[in-house]
Amino acid sequence: MNFVAVFKNMYCFFLSEGSDCIKANAQSCGECIQVAEKCGWCTDTDFLKQGESKSARCDELQSLITKGCTKAKIENPRGSTFINKNKAVTNRKKDMAEKLKADQITQIQPQKLTLNLRSGEAQTFKLKFKRAEDYPIDLYYLMDLSFSMKDDLENVKNLGTDLMREMKEVTSDFKIGFGSFVEKTVMPYISTTPARLLNPCTSTNNDTCTSPFSYKNVLKLTENGEEFNSLVSKQQISGNLDSPEGGFDAIMQVAVCGNAIGWRNVTRLLVFSTDAGFHFAGDGKLGGIVLPNDGKCHLENNMYTMSHYYDYPSIAHLVQKLSDNNIQTIFAVTEEFQPVYKELKNLIPKSAVGTLSSNSSNVIKLIIDSYNSLSSEVILENGKLPEGVSITYKSICKNGWVGTGENGRKCLNISIGDEVSFEIAIKSEKCPPQGKSETITIKPLGFTENVEICMCASQMAPYSLYSGRIGRLCECSTDEVRTDDLDANCRKDNGTDICSNNGDCVCGTCECKKRENPEERYSGKFCECDNFNCDRSSNKLCGGHGRCECRVCICDANYTGSACDCSLDTSTCLAANKQICNGRGTCECGVCKCTNPKFQGPTCEICPTCPGVCAEHKDCVQCRAFETGEKKDTCERDCSYFNLIRVKDRDKLPQPADQSYPLSHCKERDANDCWFYYTYAVRNHTESEVYVVDTLECPAGPDIIPIVAGVVVGIVLIGLALLLIWKLLMIIHDRREFAKFEKEKMNAKWDTGVNPIYKSAVTTVFNPKYEGK
């Protein structure tokens, strides 16, 4: 017995039993090669033994060879990398006579690749980065103009020319712009009293401040430093109530309003200067603002107009928009708030924090130091990865320093002219759905350049390259269209996403994505439109009174507003006199807005402080009809607004039942206590008319004799009554005194018959010897 052969067969048996390739139970070559990098498919028709499953053709390569399949009949495709665009990085000096434009400078190489990925097998390519000398810079200075920054504004007024002079050492192509911010213009962030809205600093040393605002773009990016100084010198400080400021609203508008700010595709720096903290998403609830920030540009006449409508943006939202627009942020803040903004820096890639002196005198040094710090590091980031695709980075930096893992994405301490490289490995664990295509973008944070990696789908492998063809589905011939023009034709503007990130670019034409809801769809040449992202009211798209076209509501005939929530029907504004808002206001969205502050109510008919119709017209009726009253001297000037009609008596006055318009009956008293009667009405909503009884109703004069007699009789009767009362009181008093005397007499202890102090004038002497004999 051949023990070697038996052992070999047993080894192969156990090896096959434990193979992931066998366990996958692949029924085709395509399924087999997607299981793992080590799997192959045997195409030999005689390979299978009696009773063996078709999945036995899929196994590890050595196992297939051992079982008798020759290498020539084993399908084992491998991945590959094809570089479509490989323009060399720019080598030049600052003092060269030839000045290149920003789009002529290359700092990253290669620029475009096409990968053929085998499932489980990584494809590695090398990416080179070199900091170009004299690279253009755009710097936008965004300043807090709350009152505490008053001293700082004085030092910033000469920043333009001074910074221009200093930046000439860094680049010959430098632009600077200026913007300012304070706070949302609603309570409780600012005081909404009229005086404080005009001058929020009235209580602080009699200073004059400008009205509060959210964000103002003062100066678009310019090369003219003198213009910067001139415009900034005209700025006035403002004020608000709370300490945190609305700077996040301003940062969002600076990031997304590229045309208004004037950003170029160059190094973009945003200097954020403040001496306070910041509000972020959720704080808007304090002012009744709950709608999340939409991340869109809302500048009108260079002012942010939706601060009262949208909440502050979140930090994550700001990170996304700053990254999408390649903006590097420098937080120039006072020492007190250093810890807060250092924590914020950790959340915002490619940002720096500098300590601002109390009056911003060190702002130029801070900007240059922060720029050098930011530009000395390169950090790679990639766009969203398709499902099952992973990327690993390895950095080869200055002095041979090698980084892996998260450190493999970055290189630090890079000087101008230094060249560093990265080894990037891309691996897919699964194939995308058949016919789909994917593109991955890798770019250095804060730079406009990127590497575009195109991966095309095929039947044999997850991604495949066809010779002489390009496009995400490899559907275009290089003879028909230039490679460089494909994506450019699918971008609305420079720097925007391909097909607005809502579709695929096929041979230079956008094919928009489909939505799960068939009623929702993307449209437009660049898939920039949709019919489901319009404003909502009552949780209904366009308020249920319009249709959404390209993210804008087209309202029905009787509605208007951004969410078609404003009704043009004025029937709800009609007052009892058939006038719109009682003639005291305007009808807006079916609701009365009373222009006279005295009037209120749904139709401006309620006036708690008004005297009433009769009292309102009393003086004019009195002077016109009887030439008396307070307005008799100005009657012609003040009281000619109605037609006066005289009648003989009250029965001749018009009655409400006989009229087709509202009528008021009035009874008023003049200074002589005489009554006069009249009616007031407005005919045809415009013509006022007054019917007045031409005779006064005065009270009769008093009868003097009965009045005098009554007074005399009253005085006499009152006198008699007073005398009787006095007499009665005296009688009662005497009786009380007599009773008191009688009581004391009865209580006496001497003989009341003889006066105890009486002595008789006769003295009687008895002779003791006398015996009466």
Side-chain angles (χ1 to χ4, degrees):
M1 180 178 291
N2 190 338
F3 289 100
V4 175
V6 172
F7 178 79
K8 186 175 181 181
N9 289 335
M10 291 177 63
Y11 169 78
C12 293
F13 173 78
F14 287 113
L15 186 65
S16 299
E17 283 296 311
S19 169
D20 292 334
C21 306
I22 291 291
K23 291 178 181 178
N25 196 29
Q27 299 298 311
S28 67
C29 178
E31 292 180 14
C32 178
I33 64 175
Q34 294 180 47
V35 175
E37 178 186 359
K38 60 186 178 181
C39 299
W41 179 266
C42 182
T43 61
D44 188 353
T45 56
D46 299 327
F47 175 74
L48 294 178
K49 304 298 188 289
Q50 185 70 29
E52 279 189 318
S53 170
K54 187 177 181 180
S55 61
R57 292 182 180 275
C58 182
D59 205 341
E60 294 184 9
L61 302 180
Q62 187 58 46
S63 178
L64 290 174
I65 294 173
T66 302
K67 290 192 290 185
C69 188
T70 61
K71 284 186 177 182
K73 293 188 177 181
I74 296 177
E75 288 288 347
N76 181 30
R78 313 311 299 176
S80 61
T81 300
F82 179 80
I83 298 178
N84 301 91
K85 188 176 181 181
N86 194 30
K87 187 178 178 181
V89 293
T90 303
N91 292 302
R92 68 162 186 162
K93 298 296 182 182
K94 181 181 175 183
D95 55 358
M96 291 178 62
E98 180 186 3
K99 295 297 181 184
L100 299 179
K101 296 181 179 178
D103 56 2
Q104 296 175 316
I105 299 175
T106 303
Q107 298 184 110
I108 192 168
Q109 179 186 2
Q111 294 80 41
K112 185 176 294 187
L113 304 94
T114 301
L115 299 185
N116 170 19
L117 290 181
R118 167 74 186 272
S119 181
E121 178 192 23
Q123 288 298 307
T124 302
F125 64 92
K126 194 170 184 178
L127 186 148
K128 186 188 301 182
F129 179 87
K130 182 175 183 180
R131 273 190 65 189
E133 188 172 349
D134 197 26
Y135 195 74
I137 299 174
D138 285 351
L139 185 146
Y140 191 84
Y141 196 90
L142 182 59
M143 185 175 183
D144 176 5
L145 280 192
S146 57
F147 190 80
S148 57
M149 294 287 285
K150 182 179 180 182
D151 294 340
D152 304 73
L153 180 61
E154 293 300 319
N155 284 303
V156 174
K157 288 181 178 180
N158 294 320
L159 177 65
T161 52
D162 294 345
L163 189 58
M164 283 281 183
R165 182 174 57 255
E166 294 293 333
M167 291 301 289
K168 288 296 182 183
E169 300 296 322
V170 179
T171 177
S172 61
D173 188 357
F174 178 69
K175 286 190 175 184
I176 188 171
F178 185 83
S180 57
F181 68 91
V182 180
E183 187 54 274
K184 288 186 180 295
T185 53
V186 296
M187 283 288 287
Y189 313 108
I190 67 165
S191 174
T192 55
T193 59
R196 285 298 183 91
L197 283 175
L198 290 175
N199 180 12
C201 309
T202 52
S203 63
T204 310
N205 300 325
N206 294 323
D207 288 295
T208 300
C209 298
T210 189
S211 299
F213 57 90
S214 176
Y215 163 65
K216 182 194 304 179
N217 178 28
V218 178
L219 176 64
K220 189 174 182 178
L221 288 165
T222 178
E223 297 176 347
N224 190 341
E226 295 292 344
E227 183 181 7
F228 180 96
N229 292 352
S230 175
L231 282 176
V232 175
S233 296
K234 297 176 182 177
Q235 300 307 302
Q236 286 183 301
I237 216 73
S238 187
N240 61 314
L241 296 180
D242 61 341
S243 176
E245 313 295 3
F248 275 17
D249 274 344
I251 294 177
M252 177 62 75
Q253 292 304 297
V254 171
V256 300
C257 298
N259 292 334
I261 303 300
W263 291 120
R264 300 176 294 170
N265 283 330
V266 298
T267 298
R268 300 174 176 179
L269 300 179
L270 170 60
V271 179
F272 182 82
S273 173
T274 184
D275 64 348
F278 49 82
H279 284 297
F280 52 90
D283 288 354
K285 291 181 180 179
L286 294 172
I289 304 172
V290 297
L291 199 63
N293 195 288
D294 65 349
K296 297 179 182 178
C297 182
H298 296 288
L299 291 186
E300 293 183 12
N301 297 323
N302 285 318
M303 296 289 288
Y304 179 40
T305 59
M306 300 299 282
S307 69
H308 66 288
Y309 189 73
Y310 288 118
D311 193 5
Y312 302 96
S314 65
I315 295 175
H317 201 180
L318 277 184
V319 170
Q320 176 198 344
K321 292 300 181 181
L322 290 171
S323 176
D324 290 347
N325 293 280
N326 305 308
I327 296 174
Q328 303 177 62
T329 310
I330 300 172
F331 295 106
V333 298
T334 53
E335 186 173 0
E336 177 186 359
F337 287 93
Q338 283 284 309
V340 175
Y341 282 90
K342 283 182 178 178
E343 290 297 323
L344 181 61
K345 170 191 175 296
N346 295 333
L347 301 174
I348 301 180
K350 290 292 281 187
S351 62
V353 177
T355 303
L356 193 68
S357 62
S358 59
N359 59 1
S360 296
S361 58
N362 68 329
V363 66
I364 293 180
K365 183 178 185 302
L366 184 153
I367 291 173
I368 293 178
D369 290 346
S370 298
Y371 166 72
N372 290 331
S373 172
L374 288 173
S375 59
S376 67
E377 64 180 16
V378 177
I379 304 174
L380 297 185
E381 70 165 0
N382 53 265
K384 184 178 179 181
L385 297 177
E387 185 179 358
V389 176
S390 61
I391 298 182
T392 56
Y393 295 87
K394 178 182 177 182
S395 59
I396 300 93
C397 306
K398 289 177 62 177
N399 303 320
W401 188 86
V402 177
T404 57
E406 279 303 307
N407 289 328
R409 292 175 175 264
K410 63 181 71 172
C411 279
L412 307 178
N413 300 320
I414 301 174
S415 303
I416 293 176
D418 287 346
E419 184 177 298
V420 296
S421 61
F422 298 85
E423 290 182 2
I424 302 173
I426 300 180
K427 182 169 68 173
S428 174
E429 298 296 340
K430 58 183 293 187
C431 290
Q434 186 63 31
K436 296 290 183 180
S437 62
E438 301 291 351
T439 296
I440 299 175
T441 300
I442 299 176
K443 70 172 184 176
L445 277 174
F447 294 87
T448 58
E449 299 173 70
N450 60 51
V451 179
E452 191 173 290
I453 303 167
C454 172
M455 298 182 290
C456 303
S458 73
Q459 294 181 351
M460 289 299 296
Y463 307 102
S464 170
L465 173 69
Y466 289 87
S467 177
R469 303 195 68 80
I470 54 177
R472 286 177 173 77
L473 294 175
C474 306
E475 72 282 14
C476 305
S477 170
T478 53
D479 298 329
E480 298 171 355
V481 62
R482 290 175 54 198
T483 304
D484 296 346
D485 293 342
L486 277 178
D487 290 344
N489 292 336
C490 294
R491 297 182 192 270
K492 187 175 182 181
D493 299 302
N494 289 337
T496 59
D497 292 329
I498 295 175
C499 299
S500 305
N501 203 28
N502 296 323
D504 298 318
C505 186
V506 180
C507 295
T509 302
C510 286
E511 289 188 359
C512 301
K513 295 177 182 177
K514 303 294 184 183
R515 301 273 298 178
E516 291 183 6
N517 185 347
E519 299 297 324
E520 298 178 354
R521 58 187 179 276
Y522 293 106
S523 60
K525 181 180 178 181
F526 304 101
C527 301
E528 73 277 13
C529 296
D530 62 60
N531 67 340
F532 53 87
N533 268 328
C534 290
D535 288 344
R536 295 175 179 267
S537 178
S538 301
N539 204 28
K540 294 181 180 178
L541 193 66
C542 297
H545 302 299
R547 65 185 186 278
C548 181
E549 292 185 4
C550 200
R551 302 184 180 183
V552 176
C553 286
I554 307 299
C555 301
D556 295 341
N558 268 347
Y559 291 89
T560 186
S562 62
C564 299
D565 52 355
C566 180
S567 173
L568 299 177
D569 183 11
T570 59
S571 60
T572 56
C573 296
L574 288 179
N577 60 6
K578 305 303 180 183
Q579 286 186 290
I580 298 293
C581 299
N582 194 31
R584 307 283 186 178
T586 58
C587 187
E588 298 179 9
C589 301
V591 178
C592 282
K593 302 292 184 183
C594 303
T595 53
N596 190 329
K598 293 193 301 182
F599 289 85
Q600 54 186 254
T603 53
C604 302
E605 293 181 277
I606 301 173
C607 182
T609 60
C610 292
V613 173
C614 294
E616 181 180 356
H617 303 289
K618 167 190 171 183
D619 292 336
C620 281
V621 172
Q622 189 178 354
C623 79
R624 290 273 304 273
F626 308 107
E627 297 181 357
T628 59
E630 295 182 2
K631 292 190 177 182
K632 66 178 181 178
D633 297 328
T634 61
C635 193
E636 186 176 350
R637 183 191 69 192
D638 297 339
C639 301
S640 59
Y641 59 88
F642 58 83
N643 297 327
L644 183 68
I645 304 163
R646 299 175 184 271
V647 296
K648 294 296 183 182
D649 52 54
R650 292 169 60 185
D651 294 338
K652 303 296 184 182
L653 292 174
Q655 300 300 315
D658 302 331
Q659 309 298 324
S660 59
Y661 46 85
L663 182 71
S664 297
H665 273 266
C666 302
K667 175 185 178 183
E668 296 294 335
R669 193 201 309 262
D670 64 11
N672 298 320
D673 286 336
C674 294
W675 295 96
F676 59 96
Y677 300 87
Y678 65 95
T679 62
Y680 180 85
V682 179
R683 188 192 296 271
N684 299 327
H685 307 304
T686 57
E687 184 180 351
S688 301
E689 64 180 22
V690 173
Y691 283 79
V692 62
V693 178
D694 59 3
T695 56
L696 296 169
E697 187 178 285
C698 299
D703 192 347
I704 301 300
I705 295 176
I707 293 175
V708 173
V711 170
V712 172
V713 171
I715 293 173
V716 171
L717 292 176
I718 291 172
L720 290 175
L722 291 174
L723 288 174
L724 290 173
I725 293 171
W726 178 79
K727 183 63 177 175
L728 179 61
L729 291 175
M730 289 295 101
I731 293 172
I732 294 172
H733 180 266
D734 291 344
R735 288 182 177 180
R736 285 179 178 176
E737 289 295 321
F738 182 75
K740 183 178 179 181
F741 171 76
E742 288 291 330
K743 183 177 180 181
E744 291 176 351
K745 181 179 177 182
M746 291 175 65
N747 292 334
K749 294 181 180 181
W750 60 81
D751 186 1
T752 57
V754 179
N755 189 343
I757 64 173
Y758 171 76
K759 289 184 178 182
S760 174
V762 178
T763 304
T764 301
V765 179
F766 293 95
N767 185 355
K769 299 277 190 180
Y770 176 67
E771 297 179 353
K773 298 179 176 180

